[in-house]
Amino acid sequence: MNRKAYELANRIETEPGTVGELLLESPGEFEMKRYKNHMLQEIEGEKQAKKRSFKGVSVAACAALMLLAGTVFFSDDVHAMIRQISWSIGNALGISGDLADYREVINTSVADKGYVITLQEAVASEEKLVINYTLQREDGEAMDEILTADGSLYINGINVTDGVGGSAEFLDEEQRIVGVVLEFFVEDSDLSGENDFQINFERIGITDTVKGNWNFAFKADGEELIADTIRTAIGKTFVLPNGGEITLDEFTSNELEQRISYSLSAASGYIFMVEAEDSNGNKVEFGVRMQDKDSGHMQNEEILYDGRLDEEAEKVTMTLYAAEMPKESGQMSHDYVQVGETFELTLQ
């Protein structure tokens, strides 16, 4: 992903006076649910000055993907206007590995309210669905700013979106085509088999919002990507400054991502980071992508720029860091402190 791309994050409505804030003074289920939904927005907001790319793309292994609905018949003029770009999820994420076995090309367009959205690909994986789409004006004119669409994900007819993240950028110098990659996080859905997916985009833009209907439906099966995921148990427990505990449970790696899953006990007041270096000299950083009061996972942030731990390496050294979550606002302090001792993990 182009490092000059714009940072985006999941947007949800909050009551007056709390926009952009996390009410976590005494974290309970309500506050933790809000934190979970805001996780990418708040953490990535701290990194905007450096990367300007919105994260949150979890690609799902789509062994079988078939378009069911969302097709619109266009006039010849509109057909001529729509510029099809060969822009895959792998290109969007900057991944050099081959995702061809896990993605399916959809390449279907829907037009409404003067805008055309073309859903290009989808990949399903563990606890997430990743898609990429392009957005253009129906009249073919340039856009003054990067616009993205906001909507909901349904699996088998049920709204399952727990959080959304991703990145966006102009794909052409004329600024007529925006490319967006999104990852929808879903915690309680089994994506290892075939499911019916529906994505309903309802709004375009943040200011001067354009409301409309850009709906897509398809089938997807994440079995292959999940089956090809390499798993290494960690089983390391660390005590936090407040007496709570975090246990790093498992390291997983596949063509889409590398992640560390963890469980929590009385530790909901923190977010986490792991710095890792494999025995072949590759260094990466894992940042939180999803967290609730009991568990979460960190994802290799460098993989967006083709940086990953070598699956052929024999060992990897990991160091855990923690930072307190904000108690009065959503502004992260980014004051991470090391927790426990650095440890070495033998990769499987």
Side-chain angles (χ1 to χ4, degrees):
M1 173 62 64
N2 188 332
R3 288 178 181 264
K4 295 182 180 179
Y6 281 79
E7 187 75 26
L8 306 177
N10 186 33
R11 299 186 297 275
I12 63 173
E13 295 182 0
T14 57
E15 59 268 27
T18 65
V19 175
E21 296 185 352
L22 297 180
L23 305 181
L24 294 172
E25 189 163 328
S26 300
E29 290 188 10
F30 177 79
E31 290 80 2
M32 288 310 301
K33 181 66 175 178
R34 174 179 293 168
Y35 171 69
K36 179 173 66 175
N37 287 337
H38 272 289
M39 176 62 71
L40 289 175
Q41 180 177 359
E42 304 307 332
I43 295 178
E44 295 309 321
E46 290 297 304
K47 301 180 180 180
Q48 286 182 4
K50 296 181 180 179
K51 295 187 177 180
R52 305 303 296 170
S53 64
F54 102 76
K55 299 194 182 159
V57 168
S58 171
V59 179
C62 221
L65 181 68
M66 179 177 67
L67 183 70
L68 298 179
T71 302
V72 171
F73 294 97
F74 301 112
S75 68
D76 291 339
D77 289 340
V78 176
H79 268 300
M81 180 279 303
I82 298 174
R83 296 175 57 185
Q84 302 296 338
I85 289 184
S86 178
W87 183 67
S88 68
I89 287 177
N91 296 146
L93 295 177
I95 296 174
S96 63
D98 188 4
L99 288 172
D101 292 339
Y102 312 114
R103 64 177 173 85
E104 182 68 24
V105 176
I106 303 170
N107 199 25
T108 297
S109 301
V110 176
D112 193 21
K113 300 299 188 296
Y115 289 91
V116 179
I117 294 178
T118 301
L119 181 61
Q120 296 203 341
E121 296 180 356
V123 181
S125 185
E126 208 162 2
E127 299 183 327
K128 70 171 67 177
L129 177 78
V130 179
I131 65 166
N132 69 319
Y133 68 85
T134 58
L135 186 151
Q136 308 170 59
R137 288 173 57 102
E138 199 168 343
D139 59 12
E141 294 298 316
M143 289 175 277
D144 294 332
E145 60 179 330
I146 289 179
L147 298 177
T148 62
D150 187 22
S152 301
L153 171 68
Y154 294 79
I155 300 180
N156 302 325
I158 300 174
N159 189 333
V160 297
T161 306
D162 292 315
V164 182
S167 57
E169 61 180 325
F170 281 116
L171 300 181
D172 61 334
E173 293 182 359
E174 299 82 9
Q175 297 190 177
R176 295 177 180 175
I177 305 175
V178 174
V180 182
V181 60
L182 285 180
E183 56 182 349
F184 293 90
F185 298 96
V186 289
E187 290 187 286
D188 299 320
S189 296
D190 182 6
L191 302 186
S192 63
E194 186 179 78
N195 291 282
D196 293 318
F197 292 87
Q198 183 173 345
I199 299 174
N200 296 342
F201 293 115
E202 302 164 347
R203 295 174 296 275
I204 290 177
I206 300 176
T207 59
D208 300 324
T209 300
V210 176
K211 295 183 179 181
N213 293 288
W214 301 267
N215 301 334
F216 301 86
F218 50 90
K219 289 183 181 293
D221 189 339
E223 179 179 4
E224 190 170 352
L225 184 60
I226 294 174
D228 289 344
T229 299
I230 299 173
R231 303 175 184 275
T232 302
I234 300 177
K236 295 284 186 179
T237 299
F238 300 85
V239 178
L240 298 164
N242 70 348
E245 293 182 341
I246 175 174
T247 299
L248 303 184
D249 296 314
E250 185 180 50
F251 167 71
T252 60
S253 179
N254 56 37
E255 291 290 351
L256 174 66
E257 64 174 355
Q258 293 181 321
R259 69 162 69 175
I260 296 172
S261 59
Y262 57 90
S263 53
L264 300 169
S265 175
S268 59
Y270 295 87
I271 60 170
F272 306 95
M273 174 181 70
V274 167
E275 291 183 348
E277 180 177 1
D278 66 31
S279 51
N280 292 337
N282 300 297
K283 298 180 180 180
V284 301
E285 179 182 301
F286 289 80
V288 170
R289 282 306 186 91
M290 181 62 69
Q291 177 174 311
D292 59 25
K293 64 179 181 179
D294 298 318
S295 62
H297 75 262
M298 288 174 269
Q299 186 168 305
N300 177 358
E301 305 289 6
E302 304 303 323
I303 209 166
L304 291 175
Y305 309 111
D306 203 26
R308 62 164 58 222
L309 297 175
D310 189 349
E311 294 175 353
E312 300 300 322
E314 295 183 358
K315 298 180 182 296
V316 59
T317 300
M318 295 186 174
T319 306
L320 174 67
Y321 297 86
E324 286 191 85
M325 291 192 299
K327 296 181 179 179
E328 298 181 355
S329 73
Q331 188 71 21
M332 296 302 302
S333 67
H334 212 63
D335 293 331
Y336 286 91
V337 296
Q338 183 173 336
V339 177
E341 299 294 329
T342 297
F343 65 95
E344 190 174 70
L345 182 67
T346 300
L347 298 179
Q348 295 183 354

